Amino acid sequence: MSSLNESESCHLIQERPRRSHWVVAGRRLVWLRRLYLSLVAVSAIGGIGIVVSLLRPDSVTAYVAATALVVLFALLFTWIASNFWMTVFGLGRLISDRRAGAKAKTGVEAAGRPAIDTLGPPRTAIVMPIYNEDPARVAAGIQATLESVEEAGALGAFDFYMLSDTKDADIAIREEIAWMELISQPSFRNRVFYRRRESPTERKSGNIKEFLEKWGHRYEYMVVLDADSVMTGSALVELVRRMDADPRCGLIQTWPQITNGRTLFTRMHQFASRTYGRILAYGMATLINPHGNYWGHNSIIRVSAFMQSCGLPHLPGPAPIGGEILSHDFVEAAFLVRRGWKVELAPDIEGSYEEMPPNIVQHVARDQRWCQGNLQHAWLLAARDIHPASRINFLTGILAYATSPIWFLFVAVAAVISFSDHSLFSPATVLMRQSEAGWTVAASTVESWLVAGLLGATLIFILSPKLMGIVAALAARREPVLRLLRNFVTEAVLSVLIAPTVMLRHSIFIARLLCGHGVNWNPQQRDESRLSWGEATKAFYAQTVLAAVIIVTGLIWPTGVHLWLSPILAGLLVSIPLAVWTGRVPGGDRETLMLDDRSGIPPVMRRTNALSETFAGKMPPGDPVVRILDDPKLASLHLFMLATEPDGDSCRSVEGGVMAKVHDGREPLSDAERASILSNSVALRRLQAERAVRSGRS
């Protein structure tokens, strides 16, 4: 894999890493990892052994089918077993911390002083790469975060950078307005900076790279936020404190809590993230630290380590599987680890938040982008000098999506076998039989008990992580018992119904990617605009028709296959109304799938919501060219931005017809015409002067 050599990657990498650089795992960590792998292996071997013992193939074709079925089952069963045992380790870690009286640190000392040095120039840059995002929401998140930092007494330790790759001219102007409003506040003057690239090469990773090359030498640390990220001041201070305490720590990744959910779909994930997700995060932290992972946001990075280690190579072959690395965060974590830097997951730090798409249509669209990026990591599984823990991180990311087509193939193979004339299993394995009286329970046999035990183990592996989360939530006493149990049942039912849709969509994504069809990385929809019936039907009509056809055939020619497929078919059949229903803001009972308080939204996010409306009111709609010409203050700001960006001012002549359209005002400008004017200081000044002359005459 010569294309992954350091000589072909970013110039920030200075020397080839060696395995001797790796952080050595302590004895306790080695023992825990071996125990975890042993438990997963024993569980998987036990399940596979039961399946193999039940097989009775009677022909060559049956042997081939049996082999395929066992391989697919082995992959799926190992996957759910690994998640189960990871959650067990996480619950053990959580219980241990609570018994020891451990609490999430706040980053502020008892005397009210910040636990980090706030004297001298800022040592930490908070960077937010943005691409065609809602400027009002972006600015609101920035201000709410900085206000929280100011309350923690640590504002002097941070600078904030809005790193824009926005191509939409209207959004770009509103970004400038948002920045102008932020720096108009005395506390944030010379504290918030804005830069927009005219040539957004290499997407987000290129955006960060350019920032580091220009301004990285000023800072020790960099906190990366997404456009929908918000962090409290105490969380940011604690991140800096931990980095100061460990000079070998290159990156600390927080566990971002999904919040601000209004639709039923987002509230379902919000509930799952807080109730079940944190235990899984504790399990990951127990087993992978200090060789952890990076999720691209809500994390702190040591700038020198990142610049030394994280130049990205180009993958072999063309896109979508080769070429430019899209999901760069996993790769950057692996590169830090292989150079001997610690990468830590810190699920105990409270105050790290993010939002998610408001409905399942937008959710699967985002998954499609992530799926393409994660599948690219297959190239890096065999790359030189990558730590084994990082390879496992890559493999886990790949399987997060690859398990969907594996599940689909398993169901398809099992269905085909059931309808064929070949026998794979002993008749004694049947749990239910169809007779003239209907479906009846079959006679008890050793084989039937093995089948029942395997089904029970599968249900335990799937449901136990949720039940462990409920137990932990009950122990924490943050939620009324009845409401918690009701939310648990609601989330579980919705998850079962949505899972077949996600499985089918992921399978289609991967098939398209393997056929060379990539995706466009468009900005994510973050508002709760109502999902229409037309949008849901367009997205899911094919799978609804497929499920309906199979159900009708089952009613005409009933078989055991239709009975076993019923949970999957039910989810596919109701996917359209389910998408519409869960994609709307529910009325009435506001407590459904909420935690901690009746609103379920932390104070810093409530402040973000209020500020978002305020900023939106300061960004009136209309053509951005006209807005600049009508607002001298905004015009001065925009011309200043053009002057400070080397590639920002095109300095090209604008066609006379375009200038005439601006003067006339009756015909709207095209996006290209608008961009040509807004990137040209000469044209803008000429339009200003001509407008001033006409105003004087009138």
Side-chain angles (χ1 to χ4, degrees):
M1 301 181 67
S2 59
S3 62
L4 297 181
N5 291 342
E6 303 309 304
S7 60
E8 297 180 22
S9 55
C10 171
H11 71 274
L12 295 181
I13 292 184
Q14 300 171 4
E15 61 174 317
R16 185 176 180 272
R18 299 184 299 273
R19 294 188 181 188
S20 59
H21 291 161
W22 292 352
V23 176
V24 178
R27 288 185 179 181
R28 181 177 180 275
L29 178 58
V30 171
W31 182 85
L32 286 173
R33 288 176 174 176
R34 288 176 178 174
L35 176 61
Y36 169 75
L37 293 175
S38 298
L39 291 169
V40 173
V42 169
S43 302
I45 292 171
I48 296 167
I50 291 175
V51 172
V52 172
S53 69
L54 297 173
L55 289 170
R56 301 288 188 273
D58 58 2
S59 66
V60 174
T61 303
Y63 270 102
V64 173
T67 301
L69 201 66
V70 170
V71 170
L72 294 170
F73 173 82
L75 292 171
L76 292 172
F77 200 75
T78 303
W79 175 252
I80 62 174
S82 65
N83 284 326
F84 167 77
W85 288 114
M86 182 78 74
T87 309
V88 170
F89 276 70
L91 182 62
R93 168 77 176 273
L94 189 61
I95 293 173
S96 175
D97 285 356
R98 287 179 178 174
R99 284 182 176 177
K103 297 181 180 179
K105 295 184 173 60
T106 64
V108 180
E109 296 176 347
R113 298 186 302 272
I116 60 173
D117 180 20
T118 58
L119 302 177
R123 297 186 299 127
T124 303
I126 307 174
V127 301
M128 181 182 284
I130 51 179
Y131 172 65
N132 287 349
E133 300 284 353
D134 176 13
R137 169 59 182 83
V138 168
I142 293 172
Q143 181 167 335
T145 297
L146 289 178
E147 286 178 351
S148 183
V149 173
E150 189 173 25
E151 291 175 4
L155 189 60
F158 298 90
D159 281 339
F160 208 113
Y161 285 81
M162 299 169 60
L163 306 178
S164 174
D165 273 348
T166 293
K167 301 300 294 179
D168 185 291
D170 179 53
I171 295 177
I173 294 301
R174 288 193 283 135
E175 287 175 356
E176 294 177 9
I177 295 173
W179 178 60
M180 182 172 63
E181 292 294 332
L182 283 170
I183 62 175
S184 66
Q185 304 176 59
S187 298
F188 306 145
R189 192 168 297 151
N190 298 322
R191 188 69 59 195
V192 181
F193 304 94
Y194 172 80
R195 186 272 286 133
R196 185 166 75 92
R197 294 196 300 170
E198 287 297 318
S199 301
T201 55
E202 299 180 308
R203 297 182 175 86
K204 180 180 176 180
S205 61
N207 201 348
I208 297 291
K209 173 184 170 183
E210 183 182 282
F211 164 77
L212 291 174
E213 290 175 342
K214 289 184 176 180
W215 299 289
H217 64 279
R218 300 181 180 181
Y219 302 99
E220 291 184 45
Y221 312 125
M222 169 180 68
V223 175
V224 182
L225 300 182
D226 265 357
D228 61 353
S229 298
V230 174
M231 293 187 72
T232 62
S234 59
L236 289 166
V237 170
E238 175 61 16
L239 284 173
V240 174
R241 189 197 67 78
R242 293 190 187 188
M243 293 293 276
D244 285 343
D246 189 353
R248 293 306 304 165
C249 189
L251 186 150
I252 300 175
Q253 174 68 61
T254 65
W255 178 260
Q257 289 295 307
I258 298 173
T259 189
N260 210 27
R262 293 186 177 88
T263 66
L264 190 58
F265 182 79
T266 54
R267 281 155 60 166
M268 177 187 81
H269 284 82
Q270 178 176 301
F271 177 81
S273 171
R274 187 164 184 86
T275 310
Y276 323 135
R278 186 173 289 276
I279 295 180
L280 181 63
Y282 269 100
M284 295 169 63
T286 301
L287 294 169
I288 68 173
N289 288 350
H291 310 115
N293 213 346
Y294 170 41
W295 299 324
H297 58 92
N298 292 57
S299 54
I300 189 169
I301 301 170
R302 191 177 299 273
V303 170
S304 60
F306 194 87
M307 295 183 71
Q308 177 196 47
S309 309
C310 294
L312 296 177
H314 277 258
L315 300 174
I321 302 301
E324 180 184 331
I325 294 177
L326 300 182
S327 292
H328 54 89
D329 38 16
F330 281 42
V331 181
E332 289 159 348
F335 285 3
L336 283 168
V337 169
R338 74 172 177 172
R339 284 192 174 273
W341 295 99
K342 296 179 182 179
V343 176
E344 304 269 356
L345 173 61
D348 60 313
I349 295 180
E350 300 278 356
S352 177
Y353 304 106
E354 65 172 339
E355 297 176 323
M356 71 167 296
N359 56 66
I360 190 172
V361 173
Q362 291 297 323
H363 176 72
V364 295
R366 185 187 67 174
D367 268 2
Q368 189 171 2
R369 300 191 295 269
W370 288 1
C371 177
Q372 178 176 339
N374 282 19
L375 290 185
Q376 287 183 319
H377 296 160
W379 288 108
L380 294 150
L381 288 174
R384 291 181 304 179
D385 300 319
I386 297 294
H387 194 282
S390 298
R391 297 185 200 275
I392 292 176
N393 288 334
F394 287 142
L395 183 61
T396 302
I398 293 169
L399 288 175
Y401 295 97
T403 47
S404 288
I406 293 172
W407 179 21
F408 177 81
L409 289 174
F410 178 78
V411 171
V413 169
V416 170
I417 291 172
S418 299
F419 282 115
S420 70
D421 295 330
H422 299 284
S423 175
L424 277 189
F425 295 96
S426 166
T429 61
V430 177
L431 298 181
M432 299 187 69
R433 297 184 185 277
Q434 187 181 15
S435 63
E436 295 180 358
W439 290 96
T440 59
V441 178
S444 176
T445 63
V446 173
E447 289 86 350
S448 65
W449 278 106
L450 288 175
V451 172
L454 186 60
L455 290 174
T458 302
L459 289 175
I460 289 172
F461 285 164
I462 292 174
L463 295 178
S464 288
K466 295 179 182 291
L467 294 174
M468 284 186 269
I470 292 298
V471 170
L474 289 172
R477 298 180 180 178
R478 293 184 308 217
E479 182 88 358
V481 175
L482 291 179
R483 192 171 76 187
L484 183 66
L485 295 177
R486 183 187 63 187
N487 288 344
F488 163 71
V489 172
T490 303
E491 190 276 335
V493 171
L494 290 176
S495 295
V496 169
L497 291 174
I498 289 173
T501 293
V502 174
M503 175 268 288
L504 192 58
R505 304 301 290 188
H506 285 180
S507 301
I508 294 172
F509 298 161
I510 292 178
R512 287 179 54 81
L513 288 171
L514 294 178
C515 292
H517 300 289
V519 297
N520 295 320
W521 283 53
N522 297 318
Q524 178 179 311
Q525 178 184 335
R526 306 185 194 275
D527 60 76
E528 277 92 11
S529 55
R530 175 174 294 191
L531 181 68
S532 69
W533 283 95
E535 292 171 320
T537 302
K538 182 180 179 181
F540 303 131
Y541 76 91
Q543 66 189 48
T544 302
V545 172
L546 175 64
V549 169
I550 296 175
I551 290 173
V552 170
T553 60
L555 294 175
I556 299 174
W557 301 288
T559 66
V561 177
H562 294 93
L563 183 64
W564 288 111
L565 289 178
S566 58
I568 296 176
L569 295 175
L572 297 178
L573 185 66
V574 302
S575 57
I576 293 175
L578 186 67
V580 174
W581 178 55
T582 59
R584 294 181 176 179
V585 178
D589 186 3
R590 300 294 300 180
E591 294 182 357
T592 303
L593 297 172
M594 291 294 187
L595 282 176
D596 290 341
D597 55 44
R598 289 183 177 272
S599 69
I601 302 176
V604 68
M605 188 58 75
R606 287 202 294 270
R607 176 62 175 159
T608 300
N609 293 338
L611 288 169
S612 183
E613 296 180 3
T614 302
F615 277 105
K618 297 178 180 179
M619 300 176 188
D623 191 293
V625 175
V626 176
R627 256 182 288 168
I628 284 180
L629 296 178
D630 289 342
D631 188 341
K633 187 177 179 181
L634 179 58
S636 298
L637 174 65
H638 185 69
L639 291 171
F640 169 76
M641 296 297 299
L642 291 178
T644 54
E645 288 295 330
D647 300 326
D649 196 342
S650 66
C651 296
R652 296 188 301 267
S653 60
V654 178
E655 295 181 4
V658 177
M659 302 289 280
K661 286 174 69 174
V662 177
H663 289 313
D664 185 60
R666 287 180 293 184
E667 185 178 351
L669 297 171
S670 68
D671 291 340
E673 292 169 341
R674 189 178 296 112
S676 68
I677 293 176
L678 292 175
S679 63
N680 192 307
S681 60
V682 175
L684 284 172
R685 287 192 173 94
R686 177 182 166 187
L687 287 169
Q688 277 186 306
E690 291 175 353
R691 175 164 292 205
V693 169
R694 283 210 301 268
S695 298
R697 289 174 181 173
S698 61

